[in-house]
Amino acid sequence: MLSKSQSLIQSWENINYCHWKSNEHLMEGLLGDTDLDVLVDENDKEKAEAALKKCGYMQCRSQYGSRYPGVDDWIGFDEKTGKLIHIHLHYHIVTGHKGMKEYNLPWTQRTLETRIKDQETGVYIMEPNLEIVTLYTRIGLKASVKRLKMAKAGKFVLGEDDLREINYLKKRIDLSKVHSILEEYYGKHTDEMLKIMEQDTIDSQNFVRLSKTASAAFAKCRRNNGFVCTLKKYYYIIAMRVISFVRHRMQKNIITRKTNINGKGCVIAFIGQDGAGKSTVTSDIVKWLTWKLDAKKFYLGSGEHYHSWQKKWHSKLPKKKNAITAALGAWLILSDYVALAKNVQKTIIKAEKYAAKGGIAVFDRYPQNQFIGINDGAKIRTLYVPKIKNKLIRKYALSRAKKEEQYIAKAVSHFPQLVIKLILPPEVSLQRKPEENIDIVRRKHEVIKSLAFEQSEVHTIDATMPYEEEIVKIKELIWQKIQ
């Protein structure tokens, strides 16, 4: 169990709570590998939330399709391992179709009154007889139109997670107690439910029967009538498809995961010389964050992810150059540097808007105008102008240099909230990237150390430390910032 999970459980000793579902993999949740679904007595809501805040947990806001009445989201960070812990904090037991959870099951209070303590973890959990009734009820009430069609065609297969939970609970139940619970809540549908539960699995025929039986037994527990629920269900399906299309196909930065409850995101920039591991670190950080939070990596470089017509045309020029193709190539290069600087400015503005909506924007480099010609600074004036002898072309190059510098200046006027410098001694950098020039490596090392971000929170990380230690330290800095 993670220390962050343990500290919370200890602080909740006098709170009426219960981990109410999926207790078969409770330990996985306490280790930060899956969600924890905790039911808390509404009378203890303030005490439970105060304990969460004291333990360093952050309340989050779920986006459309994941926001349900009587359910809050909390995320914690374990300092020793760098793992996130996600808690669904329930005040009612709700279930139903994805994006709706239209059923409020009537045994919330009973769950808390009959809870038992798990011997392995010390966590209060739902007693198994009630949990197996809850599991079958949930499977029936959240049956989607697609799965029901598959079942009617004889093609339904119960998911491995559900089957594993069923087998886990069947070893721990008392059938007489299960029967008593069914009689109380299912009434005339009790015998039908027992027949379904007696089977080793839920096949196509039983899945259809289970859906009809659960829906009939708990029709009065729906928050809306059947017609309204049907409208909401199809509205959700259409809305989620539109959101997915806009985000993935149109490449729009729409928030689709959880964000800080205060609605504020963060812009984070990593800088460092070659060999410091910026790409690896940023990829791992984005993967870590997007487990639950809305985060995205924004690209500012000129490599394979950057596309411009100047770059495309230049690649098609013949290798054997004459005066005309040489001039055309030079023009395309200068134009491309200006286009890249403009793109950098636009990308940073997009990232700021994304962060303003609650997202976490991550950069693996950031422009600067303190040192030109190096480390994402303007390049034309120092790298190209001195090589040009023709006065007319030189004049044009200077005009392009000025334009590039203007775009860079506009870009750096937008500052990241957090800057993390990955510092690597030049000798180590050369060992990792032996093809680099030692003088340039040393120059970049000094530049990165000297770069000032006066309006940003700046931290320096020793990139020679073991990677496991480095990434946990970086995660801790980011967690502190986004809170």
Side-chain angles (χ1 to χ4, degrees):
M1 185 190 308
L2 299 178
S3 59
K4 182 64 69 173
S5 301
Q6 191 171 23
S7 63
L8 179 64
I9 297 305
Q10 290 173 347
S11 70
W12 272 359
E13 190 59 38
N14 296 319
I15 289 174
N16 194 10
Y17 79 91
C18 170
H19 189 268
W20 69 274
K21 72 172 183 175
S22 303
N23 286 306
E24 178 269 332
H25 53 257
L26 171 61
M27 182 56 79
E28 292 177 32
L30 296 170
L31 290 172
D33 296 326
T34 188
D35 300 341
L36 291 166
D37 288 275
V38 181
L39 177 67
V40 171
D41 191 321
E42 281 193 293
N43 295 322
D44 286 340
K45 180 177 180 178
E46 290 186 8
K47 289 194 295 182
E49 292 182 351
L52 280 160
K53 291 176 182 177
K54 188 175 181 180
C55 290
Y57 284 75
M58 175 178 74
Q59 188 174 5
C60 296
R61 179 178 61 191
S62 294
Q63 299 308 310
Y64 179 79
S66 300
R67 208 178 294 167
Y68 307 117
V71 184
D72 294 333
D73 284 283
W74 292 79
I75 294 179
F77 173 74
D78 186 70
E79 293 83 0
K80 292 182 180 179
T81 63
K83 282 188 171 184
L84 296 176
I85 305 106
H86 178 223
I87 297 176
H88 287 296
L89 198 62
H90 300 251
Y91 299 103
H92 306 282
I93 297 180
V94 295
T95 191
H97 293 92
K98 187 176 181 181
M100 294 174 58
K101 305 297 184 191
E102 68 270 38
Y103 293 92
N104 189 349
L105 298 183
W107 50 77
T108 293
Q109 199 57 39
R110 179 181 187 141
T111 298
L112 294 169
E113 290 172 356
T114 60
R115 65 179 185 164
I116 60 174
K117 181 172 280 193
D118 178 60
Q119 296 303 309
E120 181 184 4
T121 64
V123 176
Y124 283 102
I125 62 174
M126 181 183 274
E127 64 95 3
N129 299 295
L130 183 57
E131 186 178 353
I132 197 167
V133 173
T134 304
L135 176 57
Y136 273 88
T137 303
R138 287 173 50 233
I139 293 172
L141 293 179
K142 66 181 183 180
S144 65
V145 174
K146 182 179 179 180
R147 297 187 88 193
L148 285 171
K149 284 183 178 180
M150 290 176 62
K152 289 174 182 178
K155 298 179 181 179
F156 172 80
V157 178
L158 184 66
E160 290 183 6
D161 290 343
D162 287 334
L163 182 58
R164 188 168 57 247
E165 282 191 51
I166 288 172
N167 292 332
Y168 167 84
L169 289 168
K170 281 187 173 180
K171 296 175 183 177
R172 292 162 171 78
I173 61 173
D174 181 330
L175 283 175
S176 63
K177 291 182 179 180
V178 171
H179 187 272
S180 176
I181 293 169
L182 288 174
E183 283 189 324
E184 181 175 351
Y185 295 109
Y186 274 83
K188 63 182 181 180
H189 304 284
T190 296
D191 291 340
E192 183 72 5
M193 277 298 295
L194 277 175
K195 289 178 184 177
I196 296 170
M197 294 176 72
E198 285 171 356
Q199 305 300 315
D200 293 333
T201 186
I202 301 175
D203 59 17
S204 294
Q205 183 180 1
N206 283 331
F207 183 69
V208 175
R209 291 167 59 198
L210 176 60
S211 177
K212 289 181 178 179
T213 303
S215 298
F218 295 101
K220 293 182 179 180
C221 295
R222 284 190 300 207
R223 293 198 302 273
N224 301 110
N225 62 44
F227 177 72
V228 173
C229 286
T230 301
L231 284 179
K232 284 186 175 182
K233 181 167 61 179
Y234 283 101
Y235 174 79
Y236 167 79
I237 293 170
I238 295 170
M240 293 309 293
R241 286 180 178 177
V242 171
I243 290 171
S244 178
F245 176 82
V246 172
R247 180 177 173 115
H248 299 292
R249 297 294 295 276
M250 297 184 68
Q251 297 295 305
K252 298 296 182 181
N253 298 317
I254 295 176
I255 302 294
T256 58
R257 293 186 181 89
K258 294 171 179 54
T259 59
N260 194 321
I261 194 69
N262 63 23
K264 296 179 181 178
C266 184
V267 178
I268 303 166
F270 289 88
I271 61 172
Q273 73 250 41
D274 295 332
K278 295 193 305 296
S279 296
T280 301
V281 168
T282 51
S283 295
D284 286 347
I285 288 299
V286 170
K287 183 179 179 181
W288 167 68
L289 289 168
T290 51
W291 180 55
K292 289 300 171 186
L293 298 167
D294 211 300
K296 183 178 179 181
K297 183 176 179 178
F298 288 82
Y299 188 73
L300 297 180
S302 58
E304 59 182 11
H305 298 291
Y306 168 72
H307 306 283
S308 68
W309 63 266
Q310 295 96 332
K311 186 178 180 180
K312 182 179 179 180
W313 284 16
H314 188 270
S315 67
K316 293 183 178 182
L317 290 176
K319 293 181 180 180
K320 291 184 178 181
K321 293 183 172 60
N322 53 35
I324 295 176
T325 56
L328 182 59
W331 173 72
L332 287 171
I333 289 173
L334 294 174
S335 179
D336 191 43
Y337 272 115
V338 175
L340 177 61
K342 183 178 181 180
N343 183 67
V344 165
Q345 181 207 354
K346 289 172 64 177
T347 302
I348 289 174
I349 292 173
K350 285 181 182 179
E352 279 194 337
K353 290 180 179 178
Y354 171 71
K357 297 174 185 176
I360 302 169
V362 180
F363 293 101
D364 70 348
R365 61 181 66 227
Y366 209 78
Q368 53 83 25
N369 57 2
Q370 299 164 52
F371 303 90
I372 59 174
I374 195 169
N375 280 96
D376 298 298
K379 293 180 173 62
I380 296 176
R381 190 177 298 277
T382 56
L383 298 184
Y384 290 94
V385 172
K387 299 177 183 179
I388 302 172
K389 296 180 180 179
N390 185 289
K391 289 184 179 180
L392 188 62
I393 298 176
R394 184 184 178 90
K395 185 177 181 181
Y396 173 74
L398 284 170
S399 70
R400 295 295 84 196
K402 185 177 180 181
K403 196 69 177 175
E404 180 193 29
E405 289 161 6
Q406 288 174 347
Y407 282 127
I408 294 293
K410 289 178 181 179
V412 299
S413 66
H414 302 268
F415 57 92
Q417 280 77 47
L418 179 64
V419 175
I420 297 177
K421 294 183 178 183
L422 304 178
I423 300 298
L424 197 66
E427 296 74 19
V428 179
S429 180
L430 203 62
Q431 289 174 6
R432 298 181 181 181
K433 298 278 186 176
E435 68 276 10
E436 297 294 325
N437 181 285
I438 184 61
D439 294 328
I440 295 177
V441 170
R442 285 173 178 162
R443 172 67 174 151
K444 287 182 177 180
H445 175 73
E446 293 303 322
V447 166
I448 290 165
K449 286 174 61 178
S450 303
L451 281 175
F453 296 86
E454 295 180 358
Q455 299 187 66
S456 305
E457 182 180 326
V458 183
H459 293 274
T460 298
I461 296 291
D462 178 6
T464 63
M465 72 170 72
Y467 186 70
E468 292 76 14
E469 296 179 20
E470 177 187 350
I471 199 70
V472 169
K473 187 173 181 63
I474 291 170
K475 287 176 179 179
E476 185 174 4
L477 293 172
I478 292 173
W479 179 254
Q480 291 172 353
K481 191 64 180 175
I482 63 177
Q483 277 190 297

